Structure formats: structure tokens, C-alpha cells
Amino acid sequence: MLFRSKVAELKRLLAGEPPFDGAAPIGPACIQPGGPRILAGAMGPKAMARAAVWADGISGFSISGDAEEIARGNALADRCWEAAGRSDKPHEVSGCFVALGIDDAPQTLFDFSARYLEFLGTELAEAVAATAQTHSPDALKRVLDGAAEAGCDEFILVPATADLRCLDALAQVTQEWLGE
């Protein structure tokens, strides 16, 4: 398992150990003791099983922000961690594209998603982009509720625009959702 040994080496370096005898540690030092979590962008069963051997968790993504899709990914990670003999729970991260607080948010979200997915070909990219529906405060709250119910430790919101009004709207809705 060459990959496993490379991840172990990276973790040693991030923990502040020198790369070889007589060398100084590589810096700057990490903020987190032992270094940051190493997450796998694994979604399928085979990739998830491999990740359970070396990763601290998973980083999935749902274009639609669908709670059931996110829950299935997290449940698969839990099963793979258990099958790998791990006693720790995987750190589970997911996310979705979002457009709020701007003119024509639904079209902006669709256009951004379709451009991002263009590598799939136009027809499939547009079909998947059409599932992206996180373009209203209520839709975002539903997505956040679903991610919390699915057991996400973190949820990443990827703005579909550089318009700062979107960030302002995201901040307002997430603060309301968090009860701040």
C-alpha cells in the first residue's frame, strides 16, 4: 500500500517531525496539533473502502443538496470505517452550490452548475445542473437541515457567483439557521 505509506509520511511531517534525521521540521507549524484532518473525496463503495484505511474522513458533494443523497454517502462511510476495523467515526463533510441575494438566482445557479459540469458533456451537465435548487433562503435552510440530519460534521456552501450580495445573503441565512 504505497498510498497508505505516503499519507502516513505526510501526517508525520504535518505533526512536526523532521523529514529525515538531522533535518529541521518543515514549517510553518500547523495550527491543529498533529496537523489537519486528511479527507478523501471518495463517494463510491470501492473508493470509500480504500479511504477507510488511511483517511480521517470524507468530503462529498451534492449538486442538488439532497439530504437522502448526503445521508447515503455518510452511511457508506460509516459502514466502510467499521469494515476496515476502525473504532473512530469518519469526519463527514459535504456541500452544494448555492445562489442567494442576487437577481435571477435560479438562472445564475443553473448556469454556474452547468459550466462546472461541462466535462460531462452539455446534455448531462444541464440535466444535473437542473437539480441544483439552493437559490432561496428556505431552500438553503432545508439543505442545512438535511445535512445536519445526515450527520455532516461540516457543510460547505459554494457560491455560484462572485457577487458579494450572495455572501451577505448566505451569512444572514446561516446565522438565522444557527440561531445567532
Side-chain angles (χ1 to χ4, degrees), residues 26-42:
I26 296 172
C30 293
I31 293 171
Q32 304 91 339
R37 286 185 187 97
I38 301 201
L39 305 179

Side-chain angles (χ1 to χ4, degrees), residues 97-105 107-113 115 134 157-170:
F97 296 140
V98 60
L100 295 180
I102 58 170
D103 299 330
D104 207 7
Q107 189 64 49
T108 299
L109 181 59
F110 174 83
D111 292 344
F112 175 84
S113 301
R115 265 192 324 276
T134 313
L157 301 172
V158 179
T161 178
D163 188 322
L164 294 178
R165 294 177 300 168
C166 182
L167 285 180
D168 290 340
L170 287 172

Side-chain angles (χ1 to χ4, degrees), residues 10-134:
L10 176 61
K11 286 184 175 188
R12 284 192 308 277
L13 295 171
L14 291 170
E17 293 182 27
F20 54 88
D21 289 338
I26 296 172
C30 293
I31 293 171
Q32 304 91 339
R37 286 185 187 97
I38 301 201
L39 305 179
M43 296 173 111
K46 290 179 183 178
M48 194 77 73
R50 287 189 300 271
V53 174
W54 60 265
D56 298 316
I58 57 150
S59 183
F61 200 80
S62 173
I63 300 293
S64 64
D66 179 67
E68 290 180 15
E69 178 184 4
I70 296 165
R72 282 192 304 273
N74 289 349
L76 176 60
D78 293 341
R79 288 191 305 275
C80 288
W81 255 243
E82 184 178 328
R86 303 270 303 256
S87 60
D88 59 328
K89 183 183 180 323
H91 188 78
E92 295 167 339
V93 177
S94 193
C96 73
F97 296 140
V98 60
L100 295 180
I102 58 170
D103 299 330
D104 207 7
Q107 189 64 49
T108 299
L109 181 59
F110 174 83
D111 292 344
F112 175 84
S113 301
R115 265 192 324 276
Y116 179 85
L117 297 166
E118 186 60 37
F119 69 94
L120 299 172
T122 302
E123 187 175 330
L124 183 54
E126 289 181 355
V128 175
T131 71
Q133 299 295 313
T134 313

